[in-house]
């Protein structure tokens, strides 16, 4: 197949630096800021923009980080404009001297910066609305490269920009995440799709799993992956998410939301038949705690906790879920042995044990007057005063019936607490599923 640029169909490949097929366009993401290179701030903006581009059917082959250095910023912008059809530059639009994005875009364009009087008024109004005087250096944010456009959405004092460098469209957005997201979502993505003539949509459905390895999931789904590769209706990808388990992401492309949703739902059910509900705990990218709360809600069950080694972490995750108060009764964080005895009626002298954690589960149901409970007790280190380091006992109580188990974690203190939290929540989930299926 002949190769052309997406802007100049019919121009031979030898006459263009950007060699793409007629049906595909690419967008590069450039993140500006020395703090990103030093690791002082994690670049979540580029990840989010990349995800939005993928969902919109726009390829993104490069993501670049560059510090607050004029020559290096200029070099990166030149390179990006030579190899990509669109470029989104994130950051460097503030009012200080090291905010150089607008200046370097102007230099690459070969134009001057011009004071935009309307922007001066808008920025002044923002400060007036906050009952604060506008510092003189904020006028820098009203400087626009000659010939560039100001994006119509402006959540803060930093205006977004749209400029042309050769055949490439460059968008500049602030590094503040909520400002950037509004500009990219409401203005830039639709503009790229319109310019590129993209009408199809790409959507994904994320299934979350716990209890199997990535290689194990890949092996079980190998036949289905091969079938999809042959048919081309959808794709399956695995995303390792640490203590949140493994995600199985199904992605499909279509002409409208309805047709894509049908494909995603059908494929999700096929995967469900292969892996089973014991492995898949969510079909809509919900957390483990959200799933447990929903299962409790279905049967009008209330939940209580008795936490020792996790120190309230389980309760924190549960209360992060909006609306959890209709299910969750509370948590007794009984860290000291004496507290376990006083509040949870633990008689066992060795509190990191099967008997102790089962007594804690019973004690939580009684003290909190709840239908089901979770209890955990263990030693997260670094000393071995009570039980071996890494040993954790977990218990669930459902309708007065307690089940317990033990895990010896090979992790550091924080990961022991995190893995214990999701593991015991999953144990309760599995028991609640049995109740549902009876």
């Amino acid at each position: 197949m002949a190769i052309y640029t997406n802007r100049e169909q019919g121009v031979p490949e030898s006459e263009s630096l950007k060699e793409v097929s007629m049906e595909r366009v690419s967008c590069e993401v450039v993140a500006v800021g020395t703090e990103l290179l030093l690791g002082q701030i994690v670049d979540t903006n580029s990840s989010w923009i990349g995800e939005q581009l993928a969902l919109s059917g726009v390829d993104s082959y490069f993501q670049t980080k560059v510090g607050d250095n004029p020559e290096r910023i200029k070099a990166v912008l030149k390179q990006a404009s030579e190899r990509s059809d669109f470029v989104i530059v994130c950051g460097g639009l503030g009012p200080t001297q090291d905010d150089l994005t607008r200046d370097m875009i102007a230099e690459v364009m070969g134009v001057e910066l011009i004071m935009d009087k309307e922007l001066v008024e808008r920025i002044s109004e923002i400060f007036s609305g906050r009952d604060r005087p506008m510092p003189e250096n904020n006028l820098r944010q009203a400087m626009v490269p000659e010939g560039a456009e100001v994006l119509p959405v402006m959540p803060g004092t930093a205006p977004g920009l749209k400029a042309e460098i050769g055949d490439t469209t460059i968008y500049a957005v602030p590094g503040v995440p909520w400002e950037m997201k509004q500009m990219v979502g409401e203005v830039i993505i639709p503009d790229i799709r319109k310019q590129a003539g993209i009408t199809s949509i790409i959507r994904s459905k994320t299934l979350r799993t716990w209890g199997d390895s990535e290689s194990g999931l890949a092996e079980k789904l190998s036949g289905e992956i091969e079938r999809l590769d042959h048919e081309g209706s959808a794709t399956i990808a695995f995303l390792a998410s640490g203590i949140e388990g493994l995600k199985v992401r199904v992605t499909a492309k279509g002409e409208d939301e309805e047709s894509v949703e049908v494909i995603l739902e059908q494929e999700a059910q096929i995967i469900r038949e292969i892996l089973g509900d014991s492995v898949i705990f969510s079909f809509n990218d919900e957390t483990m705690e959200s799933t447990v709360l929903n299962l409790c809600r279905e049967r009008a069950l209330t939940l209580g906790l008795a936490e020792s080694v996790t120190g309230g972490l389980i309760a924190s995750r549960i209360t992060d879920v909006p609306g959890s108060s209709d299910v969750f009764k509370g948590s007794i964080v009984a860290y000291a042995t004496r507290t376990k005895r006083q509040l949870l009626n633990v008689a066992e002298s060795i509190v990191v044990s099967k008997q102790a954690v089962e007594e804690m589960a019973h004690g939580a149901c009684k003290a909190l007057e709840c239908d089901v409970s979770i209890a955990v007790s263990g030693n997260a280190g670094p000393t071995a005063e009570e039980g071996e380091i890494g040993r954790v006992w977990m218990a669930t109580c459902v309708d007065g019936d307690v089940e317990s188990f033990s895990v010896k974690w090979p992790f550091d203190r924080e990961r022991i607490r995190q893995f214990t939290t999701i593991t015991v929540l999953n144990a309760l989930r599995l028991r609640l599923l049995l109740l549902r299926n009876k």
Side-chain angles (χ1 to χ4, degrees), residues 198-433:
I198 298 173
T199 58
S200 60
I201 61 171
I202 297 174
R203 294 292 181 267
S204 295
K205 186 176 184 64
T206 300
L207 286 60
R208 302 181 78 166
T209 74
W210 185 258
D212 206 339
S213 64
E214 185 172 355
S215 58
L217 294 176
E219 184 175 322
K220 292 172 184 175
L221 292 172
S222 60
E224 181 61 12
I225 293 171
E226 186 176 343
R227 183 185 73 82
L228 291 176
D229 286 345
H230 178 71
E231 294 184 1
S233 57
T235 61
I236 293 176
F238 302 98
L239 306 173
S241 302
I243 59 168
E244 301 302 327
L246 287 160
K247 295 181 180 180
V248 180
R249 178 171 291 176
V250 185
T251 303
K253 182 179 182 180
E255 291 303 315
D256 54 66
E257 296 279 354
E258 185 177 354
S259 61
V260 172
E261 186 63 27
V262 169
I263 296 172
L264 293 177
E265 287 299 324
Q266 289 176 343
E267 188 56 36
Q269 290 307 310
I270 293 173
I271 294 174
R272 181 180 194 171
E273 292 175 7
I274 296 171
L275 299 181
D277 289 338
S278 61
V279 172
I280 301 172
F281 67 82
S282 169
F283 288 85
N284 296 298
D285 204 15
E286 295 175 329
T287 61
M288 181 70 79
E289 51 270 25
S290 294
T291 301
V292 169
L293 287 168
N294 287 333
L295 287 170
C296 288
R297 198 171 283 120
E298 285 179 9
R299 300 185 65 85
L301 298 173
T302 54
L303 169 66
L305 309 173
E307 298 185 67
S308 179
V309 66
T310 49
L313 182 59
I314 306 175
S316 176
R317 289 189 58 144
I318 287 174
T319 54
D320 277 344
V321 181
S324 58
S325 58
D326 65 336
V327 172
F328 185 51
K329 296 293 287 289
S331 175
I332 297 174
V333 182
Y335 211 66
T337 300
R338 184 178 179 182
T339 307
K340 291 181 178 69
R341 291 171 180 162
Q342 289 177 331
L343 299 181
L344 296 169
N345 296 317
V346 175
E348 175 63 40
S349 59
I350 301 176
V351 293
V352 182
S353 66
K354 174 182 174 67
Q355 181 179 336
V357 79
E358 290 179 353
E359 290 173 346
M360 289 172 65
H362 277 301
C365 283
K366 183 177 180 179
L368 297 170
E369 298 181 337
C370 54
D371 303 306
V372 298
S373 71
I374 283 173
V376 292
S377 185
N379 187 341
T383 61
E385 296 176 1
E386 184 76 50
E388 58 182 327
I389 295 174
R391 175 64 62 188
V392 177
W393 277 93
M394 309 176 215
T396 58
C397 182
V398 178
D399 291 336
D401 180 31
V402 174
E403 294 182 2
S404 63
F405 61 99
S406 174
V407 176
K408 173 69 165 61
W409 298 118
F411 306 132
D412 57 45
R413 185 178 181 83
E414 180 59 23
R415 285 191 294 171
I416 287 173
R417 297 169 71 246
Q418 294 281 0
F419 274 92
T420 295
T421 294
I422 193 168
T423 299
V424 76
L425 282 169
N426 188 57
L428 179 58
R429 178 186 74 89
L430 294 175
R431 293 194 68 186
L432 294 174
L433 279 178

Side-chain angles (χ1 to χ4, degrees), residues 1-5 9-13 19-23:
M1 181 176 69
I3 302 297
Y4 306 96
T5 68
Q9 295 183 13
V11 178
E13 59 178 325
E19 298 177 359
V20 295
S21 76
M22 293 172 61
E23 300 176 351

Side-chain angles (χ1 to χ4, degrees), residues 162-179:
K162 175 183 175 182
E164 303 292 331
I165 298 178
D167 291 332
T168 297
T169 300
I170 288 190
Y171 305 92
V173 296
V176 180
W178 67 274
E179 295 181 29

